[in-house]
Amino acid sequence: NNNNNNNNNNNSARQKNGGWMQYRLEMIFGAAVFWLIGGKVDTTSYVATYVKTTAVVRGRDASVSLLLLWIAITVGRLSGLKDQIALKKVTTTPRPVYAHLSAWLLLGTFGMLLVVVFPQQPWAFWVGVTLYGLGNGPCVGYVYDLVNRMTVASETGMSLVMFGLNFGASLVPYGTTVLWDMTTLGPDTLVYVTLLSMFIPIPLLLLSASVGGVLSEDDDDEDLSQDLLHAAARGKKKKATENHQGQAQPPPVKAVPVLIDEDH
């Protein structure tokens, strides 16, 4: 019910705004996906080259770094999926999704920050790559969850989100190679771009929450309480019905024929 109310409100806002401004949320979410997917494709494509160029760890561990990154991404993705399923059972409001997505983004940002601060430390590289993979893995799934909760389904809106995904997967790695070859940053370009790819979505999320009216909602706790109360009421009603059906039914009353004396 809350999700339907949010969609109805967004639909009314779209009719009022008109034009491309009616797809503001989809464009913001598309920009977030642009950086998240772009950073992941960038890192998985060039982390082995980064290891061989910088010698932050042994060159023969380049393939191990790529394997570790994909394992971390997979574990993070599965953990995020389990969390999303749990959230869907509890509430349909977007605010909890924002909170959990922000935590994953901060985890990935902190991981790459370790690599930036300690560029020549092997432990920082291994820990940073692991935390980045864990943090980045589930983020796109959460963004799509927010799209479903906060926007009205439309081909144009979804195309904008997919445009960000496909454009980021190609443009961010290309930009990294250009900066890698043409600036003094060299291989450090990969670390800085990856760090930005995890940090930039955070202000974009705040912007989408402001545009979508999530920051001004004060009734999320009340909505959650109502959802839980409704679920409890349904459980009690079902239990009462089962108890009623399990009780022994009284025997039917048999009709007793009445004899009428015709002489009277």
Side-chain angles (χ1 to χ4, degrees):
N1 293 333
N2 293 330
N3 195 22
N4 292 333
N5 292 335
N6 290 334
N7 287 339
N8 291 334
N9 293 334
N10 290 331
N11 194 20
S12 299
R14 283 186 170 184
Q15 294 176 356
K16 184 184 298 184
N17 291 325
W20 285 102
M21 291 304 294
Q22 63 183 315
Y23 299 106
R24 289 176 298 174
L25 282 174
E26 286 89 344
M27 288 189 285
I28 296 172
F29 288 135
V33 171
F34 171 91
W35 285 104
L36 292 170
I37 288 294
K40 183 176 71 173
V41 174
D42 198 22
T43 310
T44 54
S45 299
Y46 302 123
V47 66
T49 305
Y50 174 83
V51 169
K52 295 176 182 178
T53 304
T54 61
V56 62
V57 294
R58 294 175 299 180
R60 60 185 180 182
D61 290 335
S63 58
V64 177
S65 65
L66 180 60
L67 176 63
L68 176 64
L69 177 59
W70 274 116
I71 291 176
I73 291 174
T74 303
V75 172
R77 187 174 299 171
L78 294 176
S79 301
L81 178 61
K82 182 178 180 181
D83 182 50
Q84 286 178 258
I85 294 174
L87 286 177
K88 188 175 182 180
K89 293 179 179 179
V90 175
T91 180
T92 58
T93 57
R95 183 170 291 183
V97 181
Y98 273 104
H100 291 212
L101 175 55
S102 298
W104 290 108
L105 288 171
L106 290 174
L107 179 65
T109 301
F110 177 73
M112 293 314 299
L113 191 61
L114 285 177
V115 183
V116 171
V117 176
F118 305 101
Q120 299 300 323
Q121 296 295 326
W123 68 267
F125 173 79
W126 293 118
V127 173
V129 167
T130 303
L131 292 182
Y132 168 75
L134 290 173
N136 180 274
C139 286
V140 173
Y142 281 96
V143 173
Y144 278 109
D145 193 356
L146 289 174
V147 172
N148 293 331
R149 291 173 185 247
M150 298 179 62
T151 65
V152 180
S154 68
E155 294 181 357
T156 303
M158 201 60 191
S159 298
L160 290 171
V161 179
M162 293 302 298
F163 177 79
L165 185 149
N166 295 320
F167 201 46
S170 57
L171 184 60
V172 174
Y174 173 76
T176 298
T177 58
V178 171
L179 293 175
W180 190 321
D181 294 334
M182 301 183 63
T183 65
T184 57
L185 290 175
D188 291 335
T189 303
L190 177 65
V191 178
Y192 288 112
V193 171
T194 306
L195 175 62
L196 289 176
S197 71
M198 289 299 293
F199 176 76
I200 291 178
I202 296 177
L204 289 175
L205 286 180
L206 292 175
L207 178 60
S208 67
S210 177
V211 172
V214 177
L215 297 179
S216 60
E217 291 180 358
D218 298 326
D219 57 344
D220 282 346
D221 294 336
E222 180 181 354
D223 292 337
L224 176 58
S225 300
Q226 289 180 355
D227 291 340
L228 295 177
L229 288 175
H230 289 322
R234 288 194 298 268
K236 291 181 179 179
K237 184 177 180 180
K238 181 178 179 181
K239 185 176 181 181
T241 303
E242 293 175 351
N243 292 337
H244 179 71
Q245 293 177 351
Q247 293 177 353
Q249 300 295 330
V253 178
K254 295 182 178 181
V256 179
V258 178
L259 299 178
I260 302 176
D261 190 353
E262 296 180 356
D263 296 336
H264 296 284

